[in-house]
Amino acid sequence: MHASIGDYVHTHGVVSTEGRSTGEIVEIRGANDGPPYMVRFPEGEERLIYPGPGTVVEPRDPVD
């Protein structure tokens, strides 16, 4: 998985929709644009995310 600062991360609950959230990547701490990512959520909280199998990275500026 690769990402850029400003991309969006969508996480999904493993067994329900309760764990679903979307945040913006504000820092990349892994090598070669890989995880972990520091993500800011709409409430202002920042968390270090190690993406799991249900995580999707959406580019901020999709390529046409």
Side-chain angles (χ1 to χ4, degrees), residues 9-14 16-23 41 43 47 54:
V9 173
H10 303 279
T11 61
H12 306 282
V14 175
S16 72
T17 59
E18 288 183 29
R20 199 180 296 184
S21 61
T22 298
F41 293 90
E43 315 80 39
R47 286 185 283 173

Side-chain angles (χ1 to χ4, degrees), residues 6-13 18-27 36-52 54-57:
D7 288 353
Y8 297 99
V9 173
H10 303 279
T11 61
H12 306 282
E18 288 183 29
R20 199 180 296 184
S21 61
T22 298
E24 180 181 353
I25 295 174
V26 295
E27 184 180 345
Y37 306 120
M38 183 61 72
V39 177
R40 182 179 300 129
F41 293 90
E43 315 80 39
E45 177 187 8
E46 292 187 2
R47 286 185 283 173
L48 190 61
I49 300 293
Y50 290 84
T55 304
V56 176
V57 173

